[in-house]
Amino acid sequence: MKNIFKNTTLILGLLFLAVSLSLTSCNRSDDEADDLPQEELSDVLLRVTDEATGTAVVYDYQVNSTTNPNVKLVNGHTYNVEVIFKNGDEDATQEIKDAKDEHFLVYNFPNSDITLTRTDDANSTRKDGSRVGLKTKWVVNTAVKNASAPSQLVLTLFHEPVTVSEASAVSGNGVIYGTHTGGETDAQANYNIIN
């Protein structure tokens, strides 16, 4: 009878420990300012402003959508671009700014020749000096390099990357702006680039 009681106590203790560990391992961060799981983001918007005309157009990528917005760019033009994250009608961008040291955006432009510069202010610059990438300037050399292949922007928001860099790298027929190691994907948005 004593062995049954000891075994039951041991099993209950192990179950309690397992449940405790699983509950704490689900929390990605102890920082309360960074409660921005991907499932809470509904839209990733690009506000693209042509420097020459001052005209701003907003392109709305809806999370889990089967279609991508078409971002119209003119070769030779320069654009100021702002990324806005939404949770329904709520603007979630401030949450990213509040936890700027936990976030970093990577811009991938397959089949486009676009020169990107990060223009974030101090509110979106990490302690390591890297800018998150919520505001950028795009110089469009060639929006669509090869008409027989899709041109896109694949925009990825990373959470808690171990290291980040604003450096760019050639990737296939395009350029990726920003590199990282480690971390998780908070959001990924795809946009078609057209002329």
Side-chain angles (χ1 to χ4, degrees), residues 16-149:
F16 177 76
L17 181 62
V19 169
S20 297
L21 289 174
S22 69
L23 289 176
T24 57
S25 68
C26 290
N27 186 5
R28 293 188 320 178
S29 174
D30 293 334
D31 184 359
E32 297 226 3
D34 186 31
D35 273 339
L36 192 67
Q38 183 172 5
E39 56 271 13
E40 289 186 10
L41 292 173
S42 61
D43 301 78
V44 182
L45 288 77
L46 294 181
R47 180 180 293 134
V48 180
T49 304
D50 189 328
E51 277 193 353
T53 64
T55 303
V57 179
V58 175
Y59 300 96
D60 183 358
Y61 173 82
Q62 296 177 352
V63 174
N64 298 322
S65 174
T66 57
T67 59
N68 301 333
N70 292 322
V71 178
K72 186 174 171 75
L73 301 175
V74 178
N75 293 345
H77 281 226
T78 300
Y79 298 88
N80 293 306
V81 180
E82 182 178 0
V83 182
I84 302 158
F85 292 91
K86 302 274 287 211
N87 177 5
D89 291 334
E90 281 183 44
D91 189 339
T93 313
Q94 188 60 47
E95 294 177 45
I96 295 167
K97 290 180 182 178
D98 291 343
K100 61 190 175 191
D101 294 316
E102 308 298 325
H103 292 98
F104 190 70
L105 281 163
V106 173
Y107 291 77
N108 182 4
F109 291 100
N111 197 33
S112 291
D113 182 4
I114 295 173
T115 304
L116 179 142
T117 306
R118 293 170 191 257
T119 58
D120 298 274
D121 58 19
N123 292 329
S124 300
T125 301
R126 298 161 45 98
K127 286 180 192 169
D128 61 15
S130 296
R131 290 164 284 217
V132 173
L134 293 170
K135 291 185 178 180
T136 55
K137 182 179 294 244
W138 300 1
V139 177
V140 180
N141 303 309
T142 308
V144 179
K145 287 173 72 174
N146 179 354
S148 64

